[in-house]
Amino acid sequence: MVALENGRVMRIGLMLRHINELGGTPEYTRRLVSTLLSLDHDNDYLLLFGSETAFARYRFPNAKNILLRAPSKLLWDQVMVPKVLKREHVDVVFNLKHSIPLFGSSKKVFIVHGADWIAYPKGFYLADQLYHKLFLPRYLHVADRVITISQVSARKLTEYMPSIKNKLSVVYHGLPPGFYRVEDTARLEAFRTRFGLPERFVSYVGQIYPPKNVGGILRAMAQLKGHIPHKLVIAGKPGIKAEQDLALIEQLGLEKDVVQIGWIPHEELPLLYSLTDALVFPSLFDGFGIPLIEAMACGCPIVTSTTGACPEVVGDAGLCVDPTDIVAIAEGIRAVVGDRDLASKLACHGLERAKLFSWERTARETLAVLTAARDARTNDDMGALIACAGEEGGREASSRQSTSKHRMRE
């Protein structure tokens, strides 16, 4: 293991106040933590929780659980956590969500789950935009190492802040066990009945917020109404500004053509992927797209986007369309559900490509980054913040002089 190769056991602190939430990032956290601690028995881990439920739920023989309470997330991250890191002599701290302590002697690893905040800021509430503008540059500067989840996200981040290039690593998400094509007819029909699923349908899986382009899917389905027998099944919870997209169901007269089943357990997703004729995932920008690898592993054909990390993830296992072109999305759906040879080809490619993604690989590559952070030259926190302010100011000044260089590009 890494600790033995470098001759010294690490004390690693993992910030897990979000671990019991729903969504892609909490699922990433649960998978990575369980895999990392099952593989690495050489290092010492401190698991920092924000709730008694999570504190009691997650137990590992090679980790010490610590419950921290604070009246706000900011105080939890920036006051309570640094106190514990100092007391416990932690070498490296890693928050698996979007922050790190700005001060303290522990080395810091920051993860950016995609570059949505940079590439598509209007998809977030104003308060979130202000938070990202204020804190993201500081987190990136203070971090000894930065992880992101795709090459596209890495390019966006280095365009945004070139100084992080040498401390930035790409570590892909993994595919959890249990994702395979289900052939058991009784299980499939029981699942169909329980959720009231139609006989023929295409699916969207994931949170509903502007960058995911659920509105584009709905508009495409409105164009296809009467031309294909399929309905749309939406499996996911509403997120930021979801009401704007969901209002289209009534506005476009799709009340009888859309089935919303909400967030379903991950262990049941293979049943959905095995029943649907296509996963429709034309994100305006996506840093990775976990449903893409899940669908590929289940032999589900995919219609996805030409932008963001979607082409990087699916390779030749998906039909990529312009997510801003409603006609292109509609024609992509029509092609996949209407051409059995194309659907079969995409499904076969997907089964092979899904083998490239595993949580064991993700855990080992993450551990390598944590080790690199421990061995990095010590940062001067205040110096990093001063440099951050200077670079941020220079970036703003430069942007006023340039018409395109520093704008987000898809």
Side-chain angles (χ1 to χ4, degrees):
M1 294 302 294
V2 173
L4 298 179
E5 293 171 0
N6 287 272
R8 185 167 67 84
V9 171
M10 284 190 291
R11 288 181 65 76
I12 301 169
L14 301 180
M15 297 168 63
L16 305 174
R17 60 172 165 77
H18 62 284
I19 195 169
N20 271 350
E21 297 174 2
L22 295 176
T25 298
E27 181 63 20
Y28 161 88
T29 299
R30 291 187 287 269
R31 297 290 182 185
L32 180 57
V33 170
S34 61
T35 308
L36 184 60
L37 270 69
S38 68
L39 290 175
D40 181 15
H41 300 285
D42 298 320
N43 295 302
D44 295 331
Y45 287 85
L46 281 81
L47 307 185
L48 309 180
F49 296 101
S51 72
E52 289 185 3
T53 303
F55 175 83
R57 179 179 178 184
Y58 300 96
R59 298 286 182 177
F60 300 92
N62 51 335
K64 175 181 178 180
N65 286 13
I66 297 178
L67 177 62
L68 301 177
R69 298 186 182 280
S72 71
K73 294 177 181 179
L74 184 63
L75 290 176
W76 197 91
D77 292 347
Q78 304 303 332
V79 177
M80 300 306 298
V81 168
K83 286 183 178 179
V84 171
L85 299 179
K86 183 177 181 180
R87 184 187 75 205
E88 298 287 341
H89 305 288
V90 170
D91 295 306
V92 181
V93 62
F94 177 34
N95 187 358
L96 287 77
K97 203 173 180 181
H98 187 62
S99 73
I100 50 172
L102 291 172
F103 300 97
S105 59
S106 299
K107 300 299 179 66
K108 304 166 184 69
V109 176
F110 178 57
I111 184 166
V112 182
H113 290 283
D116 308 45
W117 300 293
I118 300 168
Y120 200 82
K122 66 181 181 181
F124 298 87
Y125 292 126
L126 180 59
D128 294 320
Q129 293 179 39
L130 293 174
Y131 173 83
H132 297 143
K133 184 175 182 179
L134 177 62
F135 283 100
L136 181 58
R138 287 154 177 80
Y139 293 147
L140 290 170
H141 265 289
V142 167
D144 295 278
R145 288 292 184 271
V146 178
I147 294 174
T148 194
I149 57 177
S150 65
Q151 296 295 339
V152 165
S153 291
R155 287 196 293 272
K156 289 289 185 184
L157 286 169
T158 51
E159 288 172 6
Y160 175 77
M161 189 166 289
S163 62
I164 68 168
K165 181 178 181 179
N166 292 333
K167 61 180 182 181
L168 179 62
S169 299
V170 172
V171 179
Y172 287 133
H173 281 298
L175 177 71
F179 277 83
Y180 57 87
R181 186 159 191 84
V182 180
E183 303 289 353
D184 186 331
T185 303
R187 287 182 63 204
L188 291 170
E189 290 309 312
F191 180 82
R192 187 195 301 276
T193 300
R194 180 151 61 95
F195 286 99
L197 302 181
E199 186 65 27
R200 302 288 302 277
F201 64 93
V202 298
S203 297
Y204 167 78
V205 177
Q207 269 196 309
I208 303 166
Y209 64 104
K212 297 297 186 180
N213 200 25
V214 173
I217 301 173
L218 291 168
R219 290 185 174 92
M221 293 300 293
Q223 289 196 1
L224 291 170
K225 191 172 181 178
H227 298 283
I228 62 172
H230 297 69
K231 299 184 185 301
L232 172 66
V233 172
I234 299 177
K237 69 173 185 177
I240 298 170
K241 300 182 179 181
E243 62 280 359
Q244 298 176 8
D245 286 334
L246 295 178
L248 291 172
I249 297 175
E250 182 177 351
Q251 293 171 16
L252 297 171
L254 295 173
E255 294 93 336
K256 295 182 179 180
D257 301 288
V258 176
V259 180
Q260 298 182 68
I261 62 175
W263 203 271
I264 65 174
H266 274 75
E267 58 269 20
E268 293 190 308
L269 280 172
L271 294 164
L272 178 65
Y273 290 127
S274 298
L275 283 170
T276 188
D277 285 340
L279 173 71
V280 185
F281 202 81
S283 300
L284 296 171
F285 182 88
D286 211 298
F288 187 82
I290 292 177
L292 296 173
I293 59 173
E294 295 173 344
M296 288 192 294
C298 295
C300 174
I302 295 169
V303 179
T304 191
S305 174
T306 54
T307 63
C310 296
E312 179 182 340
V313 172
V314 301
D316 58 0
L319 181 62
C320 296
V321 299
D322 181 352
T324 66
D325 186 340
I326 303 304
V327 173
I329 298 173
E331 289 305 313
I333 296 171
R334 191 206 295 261
V336 171
V337 302
D339 186 335
R340 289 187 177 182
D341 290 339
L342 174 61
S344 177
K345 178 182 177 181
L346 294 175
C348 289
H349 286 316
L351 290 170
E352 287 302 311
R353 188 161 181 82
K355 297 175 183 178
L356 299 175
F357 304 93
S358 75
W359 279 111
E360 179 176 339
R361 175 180 174 179
T362 303
R364 292 188 183 280
E365 292 181 0
T366 300
L367 182 57
V369 175
L370 297 176
T371 305
R374 180 200 66 182
D375 298 335
R377 186 172 59 188
T378 301
N379 276 342
D380 179 333
D381 289 337
M382 184 58 72
L385 288 173
I386 292 171
C388 166
E391 182 171 345
E392 188 176 14
R395 185 168 61 248
E396 291 177 356
S398 177
S399 67
R400 289 193 294 268
Q401 298 172 15
S402 171
T403 59
S404 62
K405 183 178 179 180
H406 295 288
R407 291 177 184 168
M408 295 303 99
R409 299 188 297 274
E410 290 300 332

